[in-house]
Amino acid sequence: MIPAGTAFSLLILALAALAAGLVARRVRLWKSGSEARLVSAVGRTISAVSADKLIAGLKALPRRYLVDVHHVVGRDPYAARMHALAAGGLLGGSLLALAGLIPVLGMSRLFWAVVALAFAAALAGGFMVGRRRLPEKPARLSGGRFQRLPLYLAAYTGGGLLVALAGVLPPLAPQALLASFGWLGLALAAGGGIGLVLQIDRGPMRHAFAGAAHLVLHPRPGRFEGERATALAALDLDAPRLGAATPADFPVNRLIGFDACIQCGRCETACPAFAAGQPLNPKRLIQDLAAAIEPNATNAAYAGSPYPNARPVAGVGGPALPLVGAGAMIHPDTLWSCTTCRACVEECPMMIEHVDAIVDLRRYQTLELGALPLKAAPPLMELRYADETAGRPLAARTDFAAGLTLPLISARPAEKGPAEVLLWLGEGAYELRYGRTLRALVTLLLKAGVDFAVLGPEERDCGDLARRLGDEATFQRLARANIATLARYSFTRILTADPHALHALRNEYRAFGGEYEVVHHTAFLDELAASGRLTLGALGQARVTYHDPCYLGRYNGEIDAPRRLLDRLGLERLEMERSGKRSMCCGGGGGAPVSDIEGERRIPDIRMGQATATGAAIVAVACPQCSAMLEGVTGERPEVADIAELVLMAVEAAKLPAAQVLA
Amino acid sequence: MKIVVLLSAGRHRVSGQPAPVPVELQALRLAVELGGEVTVLHAGPELGALADALGHGVGRLIHRVIADGDDPLPSLMAALTDNPPDLILAGRSGQGGEDAGLLPYSLARALGRPILADAAGLSAGPEAGTLAVEQALPRGARRRVVLRLPAIVTVHPAAPAPLPFAFAAMRRGVIESAPGISAPQAVEVEERPYRPRPKLIAKAAAGASAAERLKAATQAAGGGGTLLVDPSPEEAARAILAHLAALGLRRDG
Amino acid sequence: MTRQRRDPRAEERQQLVAGTLRRRLDRTQRAAVAAPVIAAAPVTVTEAAPRLRVIAEPAYLVAVVPDAPGGRLTPHDRQVIGAARLLADAGGGAVLALVETPSDEFGAAGIDRVLALPVAGYDPEGKAEAVAAVLDGLSLRHALFPDSADGGDLARRVAALSGEALFAGAENLSPKAVTRAARARKAEQRRAPPRLIALAADAVAPHAGTRHEAAMLAFTFPPRAPGAVLAAEFIPADPARVSLAEAEFVVSAGNGISDFDAFRALATALNATPGASRMVCDAGLMPRAAQVGASGTVLTANCYFALGIAGAPQHLQGITGCEHVVAVNTDLHAAMIERAGLAIVADAQQVMPALLRLLAGEDA
């Protein structure tokens, strides 16, 4: 037994006790939140407070951590290795060293060799942490306490290594030297260890235990079961307070989620609003939410990138104080900048649900305060009294199809049985540009002999805009009305070209009793082509790049069918710098176009820049919002075409002898 | 100050669904921002969507229930004389009845109060018991009028947009319903479905002569416009000013 | 001068652009078919001096109460006089104008008699009492008002004072019947013309053809007690500050404009409200509130003058309500050029100084 070794083990014990005290302090703060709740894949909310749910969460923890978290962290292999070494080495080494109190082990040189190995690994991890931040810290990483982390890590793990080496080396080195080695190591480890433990309360080490607790009590457990789990939670409109005004209005497990943030800044590099210079930074938002749970909280400790063009706020808060407002932590413009694209959620290694938090805060602003951006109120008013965002006649939704056969489902003879597909037209049908897309789609359905029908004047707005703007009351009214309409007709599937409508109908209506098989037009056209119901010609050698709509790719995981379909057209397909589930938003979702929060650039301009960079002549889109936003980009740029339009060109090309439709 | 805002049984301009009349919600905002005790008042068979007014910044709605087709004036009079307000606000023209905008005037006459039309803004007057009204005139002109209270003021669509709707506030609002006074009205007019007519004449410039009116009419009928390709800047400028003058937009042109 | 009859089909055939997949029309070809109007000599209408018609012994009186700000009749006033003539001429009646300030244009506008109302300053209730007194004292068969801001207000005051039925917002008028929209424009009401009628704008053609004597009448008005209006101050519309939605004349800058000081000077010189395209607002060259279009402000202006704006669909949605459009753009195929009543294919940046010079010359 070496004296420094024993002292080291005791130090770890003391540090663990200190850590436990600090954790307990934080847990007490969490308790200011409301009852923990889980959200099912379809947006139903259930209580999370039950022993079996907790046990299930605990049992699932290792898998959630090693598989799901690692899957996200592993996108940056350097970070993954760094984390494995630092965290694994630190925890492993410390736990082993604690076991050194057992006399048999404490006397064993082999034991100390293993400890030394663990701390060597941790030291290497700490070195990687330092190398990432020094000499120059990347913008997305936070400074302040975070910048001291590599120092503490090096001191603690280096100290541990020295102590362990003092236990390994006795026969090889003079006793006195080793003893001074050991005590030096102990002193280092004590300094570093105290620094690290204090960072549990405020600093990077908080994510270690809050992250574990967050994974156990994650509000959307479905995400670990392979579900997309992206439907917003249905709000009980009879609840005493609608939405979240204060930290205490968030369920406990959501507060834990905010504390799990390690400020890695992956969200801010993915956020389209951040890129456009709008006052939103998802990382800062989560930090403001996490900071506000302390009494007399301020936002002063934050040392990462700010909200771009931040609007001034007082930056003060508390568990029962308002979160949003110029006199609070978060400026309303921050909330309304979000496009709800979920890119931050997709990138977050701690699986934090930023969009859920934003929508909860918006719900309070909209439903309780009526504090909406100037131009967001009129569309909601029109929705209330005309079931349509611009107050246009519902019967005018089919005007785009003038001259085409568009069978109404209400006029369908009963003997024909259920329609193969019900075509949901969506808001885009009123727009001139998207009308062209829908005409192409309807023409394709007619050519393929698909037995389809539309609701015509009975189709109301799906409620997507209202819901994202926090107007849950209007969303639920529209959802119930649409479900009642759909219940009167018989069809096998719903087909839509609007991913926002698809998401609402497929996932969000379920909480209100509407269960439908909903298919996006890209998947449906792909089916038609695969089964030979549509004969496609080749479109020549044009280069095309596909822009994934957030509500199709990220929200619903559908990224393959559109690409398969494009490949069938014989086009040269190029991928943008960001694509698939990690694609970048066009700026059209979440009511962002009506909220119209001023930034420095426009999101569609940035996205179009990425498309242009591929050298493609065509940006293929699959969503009315994307089509409108990208068409709004001026100057030299690739042409914007919906996949349905390209497919129609290919079908028409199949009939021409050797025509090359696209030059 | 006690303020009552009158609500009429509106319908959405396109869908025809029951809906508050936007200008009345604008009146409500003016009342709320002027401050004081604000209530809204409606006389009609049912409230329907009018309860939504409670989501636009007011906590109390008084409903006098009368039969369909009854004259609301006696019921409104009764409700307003119970607890007379300092200021009564109404939309420029209500909906649901003849939509002629006559009711506020009849009410003013019956209550013996002065009436002022087309307010776009309200503020406290220079002395107690007075009100400063910013009156909207066509094309953005204004008239600032100081009015002695109590009074009735109708509100113009140029007033600020309604306060956004807050669902929870609507839920919290109080509705006081009581029977109104039965007052059947004689129907003098024949009614049939609305048929839009083309506007009869092309707009001629202010103070236009017959020749100018003829020119305006023929230009509009001609459809397609005039095109100048690559004129000199001076030529273009002269053409533009001549055109603007023909439209009556140049006083000295 | 004889005008060639237009043949739209022939014009379109000429405009078809060959060799493209999508049907495209080249509107420049329009010039080849229809001669440009601007180049032609101004339309000359020989206006023979209208015949004077004297109604010496009217069977009854039909009154009009025009807005006539400063004694000048507005187009709406002239329409109301036209309507009054319809009602008067159906039975040998005469048209009587009740005005604050009589002027010499009344005779040509179709007015037989004129009565000056004793009104000082802004006193709508006093004016209404005076009109009601005449209504009673001269046993007017009808009194017609323009259903404008002030005229409509006056009509309703007179109706409330006299207890007479008012037919407001009349959209169609004949000696037998008047009609108007009701129930949120879902229904149309129709009845025989009552005593008080407020006429909507652009519903009846103004009077033309004959001149009338516009003889002054005398009337003893009852004394007027002080009203509730303590002070009134007229604030003319400042085109620079009026909201875009209310503005009558908007001059708007797009991508083709680089000198915004000149643009603002031009807006001031033209007495127009400045607007801008989305791109200009995005670039911060003009405030966001100046943005015209579906995502900005939807205009109700009478005239829209677009400088260097190509006319994106969302922008055009914002000006659907504008009756007159003037466009200057370098691109012949721009949608705005297509939309404009006067379209000039030129560099707007060059045209602006020329306009400013010309306007400065006018002022000098």
Side-chain angles (χ1 to χ4, degrees):
Chain A
M1 167 92 57
I2 51 164
T6 312
F8 184 56
S9 305
L10 291 171
L11 169 71
I12 291 171
L13 212 56
L15 289 175
L18 181 58
L22 292 171
V23 166
R25 193 186 97 83
R26 203 72 200 168
V27 170
R28 268 199 307 281
L29 291 175
W30 290 345
K31 283 188 177 162
S32 65
S34 63
E35 182 195 345
R37 284 189 294 258
L38 305 181
V39 181
S40 76
V42 300
R44 285 202 190 87
T45 313
I46 37 173
S47 168
V49 197
S50 79
D52 47 320
K53 287 212 181 67
L54 198 66
I55 291 166
L58 277 169
K59 272 193 193 151
L61 175 63
R63 214 183 71 91
R64 289 179 179 180
Y65 177 71
L66 293 170
V67 177
D68 299 285
V69 171
H70 180 77
H71 175 74
V72 184
V73 179
R75 289 176 196 157
D76 177 356
Y78 182 92
R81 280 196 292 274
M82 173 192 90
H83 195 259
L85 287 174
L90 183 90
L91 274 179
S94 304
L95 283 175
L96 278 173
L98 202 57
L101 287 176
I102 303 165
V104 189
L105 293 177
M107 304 299 287
S108 155
R109 278 178 63 208
L110 183 65
F111 169 78
W112 286 110
V114 174
V115 174
L117 206 62
F119 276 110
L123 185 61
F127 178 71
M128 287 177 84
V129 173
R131 213 187 69 183
R132 197 163 70 137
R133 296 177 164 273
L134 298 167
E136 202 167 326
K137 176 181 77 68
R140 70 175 170 96
L141 297 176
S142 292
R145 292 193 175 87
F146 282 74
Q147 207 60 0
R148 297 202 284 275
L149 176 68
L151 211 70
Y152 294 147
L153 270 178
Y156 178 70
T157 57
L161 180 63
L162 284 180
V163 174
L165 284 178
V168 178
L169 299 177
L172 309 173
Q175 195 64 35
L177 181 69
L178 282 179
S180 58
F181 239 62
W183 292 117
L184 174 69
L186 185 71
L188 267 175
I194 289 170
L196 284 179
V197 167
L198 289 179
Q199 287 203 330
I200 284 183
D201 194 39
R202 277 172 204 176
M205 294 312 287
R206 191 162 76 198
H207 90 285
F209 81 96
H214 175 55
L215 289 178
V216 171
L217 285 168
H218 195 283
R220 288 182 179 274
R223 287 184 65 187
F224 306 103
E225 318 291 327
E227 291 167 7
R228 292 306 296 166
T230 48
L232 288 177
L235 186 65
D236 173 12
L237 291 175
D238 296 322
R241 175 178 275 181
L242 304 178
T246 67
D249 294 332
F250 282 103
V252 171
N253 52 341
R254 304 270 295 278
L255 292 181
I256 299 175
F258 304 148
D259 267 359
C261 173
I262 179 61
Q263 304 194 31
C264 66
R266 293 183 193 211
C267 50
E268 79 176 46
T269 49
C271 178
F274 183 83
Q278 290 173 287
L280 171 61
N281 174 352
K283 172 169 114 175
R284 166 107 228 213
L285 177 83
I286 295 299
Q287 282 312 308
D288 282 344
L289 291 169
I293 71 169
E294 290 197 47
N296 306 316
T298 77
N299 62 2
Y302 178 75
S305 12
Y307 294 122
N309 300 301
R311 321 297 197 235
V313 289
V316 293
L321 292 178
L323 283 162
V324 177
M329 297 292 269
I330 300 163
H331 193 276
D333 282 3
T334 296
L335 281 191
W336 300 111
S337 294
C338 177
T339 67
T340 68
C341 75
R342 278 183 79 88
C344 49
V345 184
E346 189 68 27
E347 293 302 317
C348 182
M350 297 312 300
M351 324 292 267
I352 298 169
E353 293 285 345
H354 312 64
V355 174
D356 286 351
I358 286 175
V359 170
D360 273 340
L361 292 169
R362 283 186 180 184
R363 283 174 173 174
Y364 181 78
Q365 298 294 309
T366 302
L367 296 171
E368 292 278 352
L369 303 182
L372 280 150
L374 194 66
K375 300 200 80 174
L380 293 181
M381 180 116 130
E382 297 293 358
L383 276 174
R384 262 200 311 288
Y385 305 117
D387 300 331
E388 204 285 310
T389 52
R392 292 165 291 205
L394 296 183
R397 199 188 295 273
T398 50
D399 285 359
F400 74 91
L404 290 175
T405 321
L406 205 57
L408 283 182
I409 199 155
S410 54
R412 192 181 168 83
E415 63 270 18
K416 280 182 84 177
E420 184 184 345
V421 294
L422 174 76
L423 177 60
W424 186 276
L425 298 171
E427 280 305 283
Y430 289 101
E431 305 298 336
L432 224 58
R433 171 67 186 86
Y434 206 67
R436 287 221 304 272
T437 301
L438 286 174
R439 280 185 75 87
L441 179 60
V442 169
T443 310
L444 287 170
L445 296 180
L446 293 168
K447 279 183 193 288
V450 175
D451 170 31
F452 75 103
V454 296
L455 286 175
E458 291 185 272
E459 180 184 325
R460 294 174 171 86
D461 185 272
C462 69
D464 169 73
L465 179 75
R467 189 167 226 203
R468 311 300 144 190
L469 287 174
D471 188 353
E472 183 74 1
T474 298
F475 167 75
Q476 291 193 8
R477 186 184 65 77
L478 289 167
R480 292 203 163 90
N482 278 323
I483 290 168
T485 304
L486 291 169
R488 283 190 280 118
Y489 299 113
S490 159
F491 51 86
T492 315
R493 293 198 280 182
I494 297 177
L495 167 67
T496 182
D498 181 348
H500 296 263
L502 173 126
H503 178 62
L505 290 163
R506 178 192 281 173
N507 302 317
E508 298 196 329
Y509 279 17
R510 283 181 192 248
F512 307 95
E515 302 210 0
Y516 314 104
E517 188 185 338
V518 188
V519 58
H520 189 246
H521 75 304
T522 52
F524 189 73
L525 292 175
D526 184 50
E527 273 176 37
L528 291 182
S531 62
R533 288 170 77 181
L534 279 178
T535 313
L536 304 178
L539 282 183
Q541 288 309 301
R543 286 137 71 94
V544 65
T545 185
Y546 172 63
H547 164 77
D548 288 271
C550 305
Y551 276 70
L552 189 66
R554 228 173 346 260
Y555 273 73
N556 283 285
E558 291 190 23
I559 55 175
D560 298 328
R563 289 182 167 77
R564 218 164 32 233
L565 188 56
L566 281 175
D567 290 345
R568 288 181 200 278
L569 306 181
L571 297 165
E572 183 186 348
R573 184 163 58 77
L574 305 161
E575 287 294 352
M576 282 186 254
E577 160 194 344
R578 290 173 59 184
S579 65
K581 288 177 193 160
R582 302 181 69 191
S583 176
M584 184 181 160
C585 178
C586 69
V594 290
S595 301
D596 195 24
I597 303 298
E598 206 180 325
E600 289 160 14
R601 288 165 292 275
R602 294 177 72 249
I603 298 171
D605 292 349
I606 302 173
R607 185 58 172 164
M608 190 53 97
Q610 295 169 0
T612 311
T614 62
I618 304 169
V619 190
V621 293
C623 165
Q625 308 275 5
C626 303
S627 156
M629 297 306 286
L630 294 177
E631 282 282 15
V633 177
T634 47
E636 280 289 301
R637 60 161 172 83
E639 196 184 327
V640 176
D642 191 277
I643 293 189
E645 292 161 21
L646 296 174
V647 172
L648 180 61
M649 285 166 106
V651 167
E652 281 167 354
K655 283 185 284 182
L656 304 169
Q660 298 290 290
V661 176
L662 296 177
Chain B
M1 189 177 339
K2 272 204 294 259
I3 309 175
V4 170
V5 181
L6 303 183
L7 294 185
S8 60
R11 292 202 168 259
H12 187 269
R13 64 186 197 292
V14 171
S15 72
Q17 288 177 31
V21 179
V23 74
E24 291 169 3
L25 297 180
Q26 291 177 286
L28 183 51
R29 177 184 186 154
L30 289 183
V32 169
E33 289 179 355
L34 191 59
E37 180 198 323
V38 183
T39 48
V40 285
L41 171 62
H42 172 68
E46 54 194 31
L47 269 185
L50 294 186
D52 286 359
L54 293 168
H56 289 277
V58 67
R60 189 160 151 253
L61 192 160
I62 299 168
H63 179 207
R64 290 284 183 268
V65 186
I66 53 173
D68 197 10
D70 265 9
D71 183 1
L73 190 63
S75 304
L76 294 178
M77 281 284 296
L80 290 167
T81 38
D82 283 354
N83 187 6
D86 304 292
L87 179 62
I88 300 170
L89 294 181
R92 179 185 209 214
S93 156
Q95 285 186 7
E98 290 194 333
D99 304 2
L102 200 53
L103 184 94
Y105 292 87
S106 313
L107 193 63
R109 182 86 186 133
L111 289 170
R113 292 196 180 182
I115 181 166
L116 194 69
D118 291 341
L122 297 178
S123 53
E127 48 200 282
T130 63
L131 179 74
V133 181
E134 181 122 326
Q135 200 180 23
L137 300 178
R139 291 297 172 203
R142 295 284 187 267
R143 192 188 283 128
R144 207 164 287 149
V145 177
V146 179
L147 193 67
R148 190 181 302 119
L149 292 174
I152 297 183
V153 173
T154 67
V155 173
H156 188 271
L163 292 171
F165 176 73
F167 174 80
M170 192 258 307
R171 225 176 33 164
R172 281 192 296 268
V174 180
I175 297 174
E176 292 167 22
S177 227
I181 298 165
S182 170
Q185 293 182 101
V187 181
E188 285 180 26
V189 291
E190 174 195 342
E191 212 164 271
R192 53 188 181 189
Y194 183 70
R195 183 164 58 94
R197 288 191 175 77
K199 291 210 167 181
L200 279 181
I201 48 167
K203 267 186 207 151
S209 69
E212 282 169 326
R213 286 202 303 279
L214 176 68
K215 200 170 145 204
T218 46
Q219 258 182 4
T226 311
L227 180 74
L228 294 181
V229 181
D230 288 331
S232 75
E234 274 66 31
E235 214 180 313
R238 272 194 301 277
I240 291 166
L241 291 186
H243 189 80
L244 294 179
L247 297 177
L249 288 163
R250 307 260 333 115
R251 254 158 270 152
D252 46 1
Chain C
M1 174 183 145
T2 52
R3 257 188 91 134
Q4 208 186 329
R5 237 183 125 78
R6 287 186 63 198
D7 179 355
R9 287 219 180 81
E11 282 175 22
E12 205 172 287
R13 271 197 301 279
Q14 288 200 11
Q15 289 163 358
L16 254 176
V17 177
T20 55
L21 274 167
R22 206 176 283 158
R23 220 174 93 91
R24 286 190 67 180
L25 295 179
D26 179 358
R27 296 287 183 193
T28 46
Q29 300 300 322
R30 176 171 49 187
V33 179
V37 174
I38 270 291
V43 185
T44 48
V45 177
T46 43
E47 209 176 348
R51 182 173 60 84
L52 176 71
R53 197 175 140 217
V54 180
I55 300 168
E57 296 287 327
Y60 53 88
L61 287 174
V62 177
V64 292
V65 192
D67 285 338
R72 302 266 298 167
L73 294 172
T74 66
H76 196 172
D77 288 339
R78 290 172 186 278
Q79 294 160 12
V80 177
I81 296 167
R85 281 248 67 95
L86 278 179
L87 295 177
D89 294 343
V95 175
L96 162 69
L98 304 176
V99 291
E100 290 176 48
T101 333
S103 83
D104 53 7
E105 56 176 0
F106 286 12
I111 288 167
D112 302 305
R113 306 280 186 275
V114 180
L115 187 53
L117 297 171
V119 181
Y122 178 68
D123 182 11
E125 193 63 21
K127 193 171 175 181
E129 281 175 12
V131 173
V134 178
L135 188 71
D136 216 30
L138 295 183
S139 308
L140 303 176
R141 180 170 288 189
H142 301 288
L144 269 63
F145 306 81
D147 209 348
S148 58
D150 281 347
D153 176 51
L154 186 68
R156 287 164 180 83
R157 286 175 191 275
V158 173
L161 270 174
S162 63
E164 290 285 344
L166 166 72
F167 199 83
E171 289 183 351
N172 198 303
L173 179 138
S174 72
K176 288 211 184 72
V178 276
T179 66
R180 68 156 171 242
R183 308 198 188 282
R185 299 195 90 79
K186 294 277 178 271
E188 183 177 89
Q189 295 180 336
R190 178 188 171 88
R191 61 165 291 176
R195 230 174 147 193
L196 302 179
I197 298 169
L199 192 73
D202 296 344
V204 177
H207 168 74
T210 52
R211 201 155 53 80
H212 291 253
E213 52 186 328
M216 292 298 294
L217 284 190
F219 187 83
T220 318
F221 288 95
R224 160 89 178 122
V229 172
L230 303 175
E233 177 198 358
F234 179 76
I235 305 154
D238 176 0
R241 290 188 45 230
V242 72
S243 83
L244 268 183
E246 275 184 273
E248 180 177 24
F249 176 26
V250 175
V251 55
S252 198
N255 221 17
I257 296 293
S258 49
D259 182 355
F260 280 84
D261 289 331
F263 170 71
R264 276 183 282 267
L266 179 63
T268 312
L270 283 173
N271 234 348
T273 305
S277 71
R278 197 208 74 215
M279 283 187 62
V280 165
C281 297
D282 280 349
L285 297 165
M286 288 286 288
R288 180 64 68 185
Q291 187 181 328
V292 173
S295 54
T297 303
V298 176
L299 304 185
T300 59
N302 179 28
C303 179
Y304 185 66
F305 180 12
L307 285 160
I309 299 180
Q314 283 92 339
H315 190 87
L316 291 178
Q317 277 174 33
I319 60 165
T320 41
C322 299
E323 193 161 339
H324 303 285
V325 174
V326 178
V328 181
N329 199 302
T330 46
D331 181 7
L332 176 62
H333 302 288
M336 189 62 82
I337 292 285
E338 186 96 338
R339 167 77 170 78
L342 171 62
I344 295 176
V345 178
D347 183 355
Q349 191 55 50
Q350 304 295 319
V351 173
M352 280 202 307
L355 272 170
L356 281 169
R357 273 195 302 277
L358 212 57
L359 287 163
E362 270 177 16
D363 286 346

